[in-house]
Amino acid sequence: MATVEVRGIVKRFGDVTAVDGVDLLTKEGEFLVLLGPSGCGKTTLLRMIAGLEEPTEGDVLIGGQVVTDLPPRVRGIAMVFQSYALYPHMTVFKNIAFPLKAQGAPKAIWKEKVTWAASMFGIETLLHRKPRELSGGERQRVALARAMVREPNVFLLDEPLSNLDAKLRASAREELQQFQRDIGTTTIYVTHDQVEAMGLGDRVAVMDEGRVRQIGTPREIYHEPADTFVAGFLGTPPMNLLEKENRTFGFRPETFLPLEVSGGHNDVEQFQFEVTWMEHLGSDRLIYGNVGARFTHRHVVAKLPANVTVPIEPGETYTFAVLRKDLKFFDRETGLRANPIPL
Ligand code: ATP
């Protein structure tokens, strides 16, 4: 177990600034997720931590030691890529044993370590097979087992679940989290999938254009977004963002409810909601429309749980409400959180 830290790290590829001054410090044994849209610099940041990419500026520290100029193999890290990169001509046993061989570990301990790692991922019975004889989920477990045999201090994972179908992905997520808790190895995990990030991360660093916009627990980044990017990136659908004079303000679709359902308290903000369109999703109803002309960017969406059976029809206008505590305010220029104003 070790902490991972990056200080003022920058990576430029010619004119492209892939990572634009990132500071991060993990806790020991933490599961930290790097989340952000395609091209925001997640993979480049992970590769600099691994030592596969040289930073243009800044430093990487593992276990408090500066490792910026050290090669990957002495950093005490193991990395699993999206592609798994298994050797097709080798059996599962040989694939898992490969890092031990590369390390020059005596053959006598291969069997012990491979058995240990394979049992951790429930693949003991597959050791004689070749990768082509495995399902996507099994291949993924082989890749993780191979990364584990070296007993790394830090685990670096780049979208390791993205080749799995949705159902398998859910069970693989559960397994991965369980496994990480059991072994307690500090883990940095890259994904653009917010469900994965929220489900797996002790903390999530939300990235955009080479920068970390916010780092916090899944609850913090969802309920208290630091800026309009984070607010508009998380959630399906994401936070409604409207403008009033010098402020942007927002509220989550699930906090926007018919007045009678919201309880009609005096700590609510009321809106006249002209409904234009609806979608029934089974567990929820998504209701699209516009709120009063006193706001710019008037288009909003409400997400009503199926047990809220209030009749709602497109073409009609209803009074909806949001608890004031669920309204989030942002500076219109910078997009950063700001003090509330009366609406
Ligand atoms: P994705 O989710 O699509 O993998 P990402 O957030 O991991 O994206 P990176 O792969 O880190 O993003 O890329 C960040 C930026 O740097 C992108 O604009 C990309 O085109 C650019 N980039 C990455 N690697 C190189 C390279 N070797 N040469 C030039 N530009 C690169």
Side-chain angles (χ1 to χ4, degrees):
M1 250 197 320
T3 56
V4 176
E5 184 174 1
V6 297
R7 289 188 188 157
I9 207 160
V10 173
K11 181 67 189 183
R12 291 189 205 98
F13 297 103
D15 293 345
V16 178
T17 304
V19 174
D20 193 11
V22 167
D23 295 287
L24 271 184
L25 172 61
T26 70
K27 296 168 188 156
E28 280 200 11
E30 184 174 27
F31 199 125
L32 178 73
V33 177
L34 305 179
L35 171 70
S38 184
C40 72
K42 312 177 289 289
T43 296
T44 304
L45 179 56
L46 198 74
R47 288 172 59 83
M48 288 194 284
I49 295 168
L52 299 170
E53 207 76 73
E54 193 184 337
T56 311
E57 288 172 31
D59 276 308
V60 178
L61 292 84
I62 294 179
Q65 304 293 316
V66 176
V67 297
T68 319
D69 297 323
L70 300 182
R73 68 191 146 74
V74 297
R75 293 190 181 199
I77 49 121
M79 189 153 172
V80 177
F81 300 92
Q82 186 177 344
S83 63
Y84 310 148
L86 299 178
Y87 302 106
H89 58 288
M90 291 185 195
T91 61
V92 168
F93 181 96
K94 286 201 168 153
N95 263 284
I96 299 175
F98 191 82
L100 300 170
K101 190 177 168 195
Q103 263 178 351
K107 244 184 172 168
I109 71 160
W110 294 8
K111 186 152 193 266
E112 181 194 329
K113 289 237 181 167
V114 170
T115 309
W116 165 77
S119 69
M120 188 122 64
F121 293 97
I123 50 173
E124 309 94 307
T125 58
L126 307 177
L127 292 173
H128 61 283
R129 294 206 202 162
K130 298 267 176 71
R132 66 169 181 277
E133 297 162 333
L134 303 175
S135 72
E138 289 164 348
R139 277 181 214 163
Q140 184 233 0
R141 280 182 258 166
V142 174
L144 290 167
R146 183 177 60 180
M148 276 320 295
V149 287
R150 277 192 287 166
E151 299 181 51
N153 292 322
V154 177
F155 224 177
L156 303 176
L157 306 174
D158 191 356
E159 310 230 14
L161 309 186
S162 57
N163 289 336
L164 308 183
D165 66 41
K167 202 171 152 207
L168 201 54
R169 221 167 24 222
S171 61
R173 247 193 341 254
E174 193 185 334
E175 271 177 22
L176 188 62
Q177 191 174 45
Q178 191 57 48
F179 152 77
Q180 198 269 347
R181 296 254 151 89
D182 290 348
I183 57 162
T185 304
T186 308
T187 299
I188 305 184
Y189 184 104
V190 161
T191 184
H192 63 267
D193 180 336
Q194 51 173 299
V195 176
E196 226 167 84
M198 304 298 261
L200 283 170
D202 293 319
R203 285 189 305 161
V204 178
V206 184
M207 292 185 66
D208 180 42
E209 296 186 339
R211 298 193 178 177
V212 172
R213 296 296 197 114
Q214 184 172 11
I215 177 162
T217 63
R219 271 194 78 77
E220 281 164 357
I221 60 168
Y222 188 80
H223 292 289
E224 299 300 339
D227 66 14
T228 46
F229 174 81
V230 177
F233 184 70
L234 295 174
T236 28
M239 187 177 273
N240 292 302
L241 291 171
L242 296 96
E243 282 174 10
K244 163 92 187 208
E245 294 153 15
N246 55 358
R247 286 279 186 276
T248 300
F249 70 96
F251 48 85
R252 296 242 166 243
E254 63 273 22
T255 65
F256 190 51
L257 296 166
L259 181 63
E260 61 269 38
V261 181
S262 71
H265 307 296
N266 51 15
D267 55 355
V268 297
E269 191 69 46
Q270 296 186 24
F271 298 86
Q272 291 307 302
F273 184 33
E274 177 202 348
V275 173
T276 54
W277 182 45
M278 281 211 296
E279 278 180 316
H280 290 273
L281 302 182
S283 60
D284 306 289
R285 260 190 298 175
L286 292 183
I287 302 164
Y288 300 84
N290 298 300
V291 291
R294 62 199 168 111
F295 307 112
T296 36
H297 290 273
R298 301 165 54 214
H299 196 67
V300 297
V301 52
K303 188 177 189 175
L304 265 52
N307 62 0
V308 175
T309 53
V310 181
I312 291 170
E313 296 297 331
E316 301 288 324
T317 297
Y318 302 88
T319 304
F320 267 51
V322 181
L323 292 176
R324 285 211 177 86
K325 72 169 181 55
D326 290 329
L327 291 168
K328 310 295 165 187
F329 292 83
F330 306 90
D331 185 278
R332 238 176 115 161
E333 295 293 314
T334 63
L336 296 173
R337 284 294 283 276
N339 293 330
I341 56 163
L343 296 180

